[in-house]
Amino acid sequence: MTDTALMTDRYELTMIDAALRSGTAFRPSAFEVFARRLPGARRYGVVAGTGRFLERLAEFRFGDAELAFLREQHVVSAELLDWLADYRFSGDIRGYAEGELYFPGSPILVVESTFAEAVVLETLALSVLNYDSAVANAATRMHRAAKGRPLAEMGSRRASEESAIAAARAAYIAGFGATSNLAAGARWGIPTMGTAAHSFTLLHDSEAEAFQAQIDTLGVGTTLLVDTYDIEQGIRTAIEVAGPKLGGIRLDSGDLADVAAEARALLDSLGATETRITVTSDLDEYAIAGLQASPVDAYGVGTSVVTGSGAPAAGMVYKLVSRQGDDGQWVGVGKRSEDKASKPGEKVAVRTLERGVAVEETVLVSDDPAMLDAAAERGRALQVPLVRAGEIQREWLGHGGVELARQRHAASVEELPAEAHRLARGEPAIPTVFR
């Protein structure tokens, strides 16, 4: 997109303008992304969106159209317009590997550059990370509730166009196996799935004709939607048309626990013992958990996952935590506001494990680089280089980056204590300790 640089709040630019006048715009500075608390009193969060942020950063440019808009609207001074025309991020960014878990106070992203170069990225970083992580936070809970049964993301019609693609990506990182969104498949390499909706059945003169047309096109291994009219008759018709080797049926209405049990019994009586049952219809993590004892083989989730299942934003903030003074010494800075305080100083985080189980999020705070280098001795290092001297580390991008994130998430979740996977509201699974 050509207007990536304008995906920002106006005050980012007015701050730089004022800092130019005061002579502070190019002070070396460090900003940090963190969350003060976990949304919905959940036990852990999932970092998602890092690869998307890096791709947006690569195209974060103020071209002629963007500069013309700022000039015509009198947003900033001519001096700042000249600086923006040549904007290229030249600093360093490190952060939690995408797919990693986070907790309150975790230094998820650290941006080191001049004040001007770094502050202008605030809105971009937060808009990506807050949404993607919110989706991943919901998706990981659904994945754990499913206990190994496949999950498909089907929420494109419940989100804006780009959000739908981002949601499919975040859900896949957090454990979903497929998406209905073709753009997500093309852009990120996520497996896609989908067969037919009720309209396809309604198009035909009979349910049997609709099923036959689908089987003729997709084969007997397809999944037939059997609840357009009457579920019992729909199942009988499906097996009459496809035979007992039908791949699956989908149920999208009714009390799913009862309907699935009745469907399984009927399928078995018709000899279709291997035909799988997929359920959809406004599922969330609680509904999925409630279906554990039911003969359900797979789930399709829409609205709940793309809206964060009640927590549509991850609550992350982007704060200046350290800067150089006029004497060249680094100074930790932070807010002291009640309930919104930020801890001054640059930070490095490790996860402390005992016999392979996470017991603490250990965060070292210091303006002494040598001390920060010693953090790795305390546990598993959580931060990785994302940008070095303006050069984006490409392993975090594209299809490969998504697969790395998915692997990182799976490994991180396995480190958690068992109580971390309870769906009830509670305290974070492990404490964050600043040292």
Side-chain angles (χ1 to χ4, degrees), residues 57 87-93 112-114 117 121 387-391:
L57 177 63
Y87 180 85
R88 302 290 186 276
F89 182 75
S90 62
D92 297 329
I93 301 177
E112 300 170 334
S113 188
T114 65
E117 275 197 12
L121 300 179
V387 181
R388 286 176 166 154
E391 291 295 321

Side-chain angles (χ1 to χ4, degrees), residues 92-131:
D92 297 329
I93 301 177
R94 55 187 164 84
Y96 280 36
E98 189 167 14
E100 185 60 81
L101 310 184
Y102 72 89
F103 298 90
S106 294
I108 294 165
L109 199 72
V110 178
V111 182
E112 300 170 334
S113 188
T114 65
F115 176 84
E117 275 197 12
V119 76
V120 75
L121 300 179
E122 176 180 3
T123 305
L124 177 64
L126 291 181
S127 64
V128 172
L129 294 174
N130 267 318
Y131 179 71

